[in-house]
Amino acid sequence: MQDGKIYTVATGSGTTGEEKKLAFPEIAVGIDIGTSQCSVAVWNGSQVEILKNKRNQKLIKSFVTFKDESPSSRVTSELSRERELLFGDTIFNVKHLIGRVDTDPIVVRASKNLPFLVQTMDIGVRPFIAASVNNIWRSTSPEEVLAMFLVELRLMTETHLKRPIRNVRACAMAGLHVLRLMPEPTAVALLYAQQQHKAFQETMGSGSEKVALIFNMGAGYCDVAVTATAGGVSEIKAVAGSTIGGEDLLQNMMCHLLPDSENIFKNHGVKEIKSMALLRVATHDAIHRLSSQINFQVDVDLGDGLKICKVVDRAEFEEVNKQVFGKCESLIIQCLHDAKVKVEDVNDVIIVDGCSYIPRVRNLVTKICEVTEVYKGIINPLEGAVCGAAIEGAVALGIIDPFGNLDLLTIQATPHAIGIRADGNKFVPVIPRNTRIPARKDLLFTTIYDNQTATLILVYEENQLLGYIKITGIPAARKGVPEINVFSVMEVRMPMVDDGHGWCAEALNRTYGGTMDLVTLKKA
């Protein structure tokens, strides 16, 4: 058993001394951790069950509040969350900060627009974040915030299931054993494959191949996948993604409603944070209303005599976010091109996550794919990814379903190229984008210095540093003679604070030797 715990219980009489050992059956939990909300699901033996918190909510708004020196993660209602935002002691929207350095444009923008402190030194190190606790700034990190919330989710799940949980599909934090990691569209593709397989079984169909385009746009990320499904097997043909999402739509509208907001809020004191939070709440409400209304009046008092009273309409919102929607269109076109799939060959179009309710999003996806309506099989677009994650967890554990609902397989593809820095600090891909995974790829490199006996290999997912490999014991020889085989299954260490502030290539070079380098070995 992967759970690894066997509980001993006494028999009914309690007098014979006879005991029985009961082992809980295998169970896997799927967690969809979004930028602004998350959900938890489990395969209950016959179907996916989405768990609810104490307030009977399936979709959980995630944030961490620092009321004193001890932070507490919360799962609460939207109105309560909005009130919490006003005091600067609440941290949220941190997922897109993880793995980024403080010179990253996304981090720089967050430092100006989020109603708490995002501390940057502009030197290429990890950012820290801080909440105002009794007018004193309490520092933490994005990773710590996410870990605290995962602990809360784990406790919620264990309370619901009345048993300990270790096997999880999401993140290796909070003492949880990760079974699989998969992008949200890939998880949705597995759910789609299960639904198609079940339909074919019920109608005694042949299980012919169906092609689906899956468009996922949440608060912090947008990705598209094209999948071909037949007989319970779903093959991801291509994936394309970008760090755009609902947060960009929100920030653009905030700047539109208050054009001088950057100067007004630049001090980022407690007073400015409260005003920023009020503007944020009002703007979020306007975007939500414009999904079902043609226009909406924004009326908010930001304090110090600063008020906004303006009627905004849907066309105005779409114009303000023209570039974001344009990027969405280019991702769809790119994904279809990479998958070598023509529009007329797409059978179903699936739109999921929070931005799926925005009319402009739905219209641009259906227009490009030349369909009149989207796939109806996923009733709630916000639940598709977590349901697929729970199914994948059950499949990964080898749980047997007598009805064949788990006779599934997803052939994934890597959404980004993975490689190393070499050839004069250039990115050299080892695994190209949209390669089937798991995969093994090899590339030969050699030294650039005479008698070089060690090298530091920095591993990147395109521009994002994933980790490093320190190689020592290279036989001393003239430069260009040693052959160093870099392949995709080498053990990669994640950067830690002890390595020089983590996720900072410059710090790793200082710690392990910045003069070490490699070049691609070109054989005759």
Side-chain angles (χ1 to χ4, degrees):
M1 275 184 61
Q2 286 182 282
D3 276 352
K5 290 187 178 181
I6 297 180
Y7 292 81
T8 303
V9 295
T11 56
S13 64
T15 58
T16 64
E18 182 184 359
E19 294 181 337
K20 295 181 181 179
K21 288 188 176 181
L22 300 179
F24 283 129
E26 292 280 21
I27 194 167
V29 172
I31 300 179
D32 178 13
I33 303 179
T35 303
S36 62
Q37 62 188 13
C38 65
S39 51
V40 184
V42 62
W43 179 260
N44 65 12
S46 60
Q47 62 183 2
V48 172
E49 177 186 4
I50 300 178
L51 306 188
K52 297 180 180 180
N53 63 9
K54 293 179 180 179
R55 293 176 175 84
N56 203 36
Q57 298 167 319
K58 291 181 179 180
L59 297 173
I60 303 164
K61 297 289 184 180
S62 59
F63 61 100
V64 173
T65 298
F66 295 78
K67 290 299 185 186
D68 47 41
E69 289 302 311
S70 301
S72 62
S73 54
R74 302 287 183 91
V75 288
T76 186
S77 68
E78 180 68 24
L79 289 177
S80 176
R81 174 180 181 268
E82 289 179 352
R83 287 194 293 269
E84 294 281 358
L85 293 180
L86 303 179
F87 301 103
D89 57 2
T90 299
I91 305 295
F92 61 97
N93 278 21
V94 299
K95 192 181 79 168
H96 62 302
L97 302 180
I98 292 175
R100 300 183 184 278
V101 294
D102 60 3
T103 53
D104 190 300
I106 291 177
V107 177
V108 173
R109 188 179 189 188
S111 69
K112 299 176 181 178
N113 298 320
L114 288 174
F116 51 85
L117 281 188
V118 179
Q119 299 171 305
T120 62
M121 293 183 284
D122 198 30
I123 58 174
V125 297
R126 287 193 304 174
F128 279 83
I129 51 183
S132 175
V133 183
N134 299 323
N135 293 322
I136 299 174
W137 294 108
R138 200 279 196 190
S139 290
T140 182
S141 68
E143 294 80 15
E144 183 183 14
V145 170
L146 186 58
M148 286 185 284
F149 193 70
L150 278 171
V151 170
E152 187 80 11
L153 290 176
R154 178 182 181 178
L155 292 174
M156 184 192 86
T157 306
E158 291 181 337
T159 299
H160 180 89
L161 298 177
K162 297 181 174 58
R163 55 162 296 178
I165 293 296
R166 284 187 65 245
N167 298 324
V168 170
R169 262 278 304 111
C171 188
M173 291 183 179
L176 301 170
H177 173 61
V178 177
L179 296 172
R180 294 283 191 278
L181 290 172
M182 59 200 314
E184 287 177 313
T186 306
V188 175
L190 185 62
L191 176 62
Y192 174 75
Q194 186 195 56
Q195 293 178 347
Q196 296 304 307
H197 188 45
K198 185 176 181 180
F200 286 135
Q201 287 179 320
E202 291 174 351
T203 60
M204 301 298 290
S206 60
S208 59
E209 183 178 88
K210 295 189 71 174
V211 175
L213 182 136
I214 301 168
F215 181 89
N216 170 85
M217 188 176 181
Y221 202 80
C222 176
D223 44 4
V224 186
V226 173
T227 178
T229 298
V233 178
S234 178
E235 179 184 357
I236 304 298
K237 294 289 189 180
V239 182
S242 178
T243 53
I244 57 171
E247 182 68 17
D248 295 277
L249 303 177
L250 179 65
Q251 294 294 343
N252 290 342
M253 280 300 291
M254 287 174 65
C255 292
H256 177 68
L257 292 171
L258 190 63
D260 199 30
S261 59
E262 187 169 324
N263 288 327
I264 294 173
F265 301 142
K266 67 179 180 181
N267 291 332
H268 230 79
V270 174
K271 181 179 68 174
E272 288 82 8
I273 283 177
K274 181 176 180 179
S275 297
M276 187 187 301
L278 286 168
L279 176 60
R280 184 185 184 90
V281 170
T283 307
H284 184 276
D285 185 39
I287 295 174
H288 179 73
R289 297 294 187 92
L290 289 175
S291 293
S292 57
Q293 301 174 205
I294 298 299
N295 55 56
F296 178 72
Q297 180 165 319
V298 178
D299 194 352
V300 58
D301 186 349
L302 303 180
D304 285 344
L306 186 62
K307 297 182 179 180
I308 297 175
C309 185
K310 177 180 173 59
V311 176
V312 293
D313 58 38
R314 187 180 294 174
E316 186 178 358
F317 164 69
E318 293 175 358
E319 180 62 27
V320 168
N321 289 288
K322 185 177 180 179
Q323 289 187 336
V324 176
F325 294 128
K327 182 62 177 178
C328 293
E329 292 185 24
S330 66
L331 287 175
I332 299 170
I333 294 170
Q334 175 190 330
C335 193
L336 288 168
H337 176 269
D338 293 345
K340 297 180 175 60
V341 170
K342 297 179 180 179
V343 169
E344 55 266 28
D345 294 330
V346 176
N347 300 106
D348 289 309
V349 172
I350 304 169
I351 306 177
V352 293
D353 221 335
C355 293
S356 62
Y357 293 103
I358 297 175
R360 181 73 180 99
V361 169
R362 299 178 74 86
N363 291 341
L364 72 87
V365 178
T366 54
K367 181 179 179 181
I368 294 172
C369 296
E370 299 178 2
V371 298
T372 56
E373 60 179 21
V374 299
Y375 178 69
K376 304 294 187 183
I378 298 176
I379 299 174
N380 190 332
L382 300 176
E383 298 176 357
V386 73
C387 290
I391 293 171
E392 175 66 13
V395 172
L397 279 180
I399 295 175
I400 304 299
D401 176 64
F403 301 103
N405 290 324
L406 294 179
D407 295 339
L408 306 168
L409 173 65
T410 298
I411 303 172
Q412 295 194 47
T414 177
H416 303 288
I418 299 174
I420 71 171
R421 290 284 175 181
D423 296 346
N425 202 32
K426 296 178 182 178
F427 175 72
V428 179
V430 178
I431 300 179
R433 186 170 60 89
N434 284 323
T435 299
R436 285 187 182 183
I437 51 178
R440 170 170 174 149
K441 301 287 184 179
D442 298 61
L443 280 180
L444 286 178
F445 295 85
T446 189
T447 54
I448 64 170
Y449 303 108
D450 290 337
N451 300 317
Q452 182 177 332
T453 60
T455 188
L456 174 68
I457 299 177
L458 300 179
V459 181
Y460 286 80
E461 184 180 62
E462 293 189 354
N463 293 322
Q464 298 299 321
L465 177 64
L466 295 181
Y468 66 95
I469 306 165
K470 177 68 185 294
I471 296 179
T472 58
I474 300 173
R478 293 183 61 185
K479 65 180 181 180
V481 173
E483 294 185 2
I484 302 170
N485 187 16
V486 176
F487 54 94
S488 59
V489 293
M490 294 180 73
E491 183 176 350
V492 178
R493 282 192 58 191
M494 293 295 293
M496 306 296 288
V497 174
D498 294 341
D499 294 319
H501 223 18
W503 278 287
C504 175
E506 292 81 1
L508 292 173
N509 277 318
R510 286 194 300 269
T511 303
Y512 296 108
T515 60
M516 302 173 188
D517 206 349
L518 297 175
V519 292
T520 307
L521 182 62
K522 296 179 175 61
K523 288 196 168 185

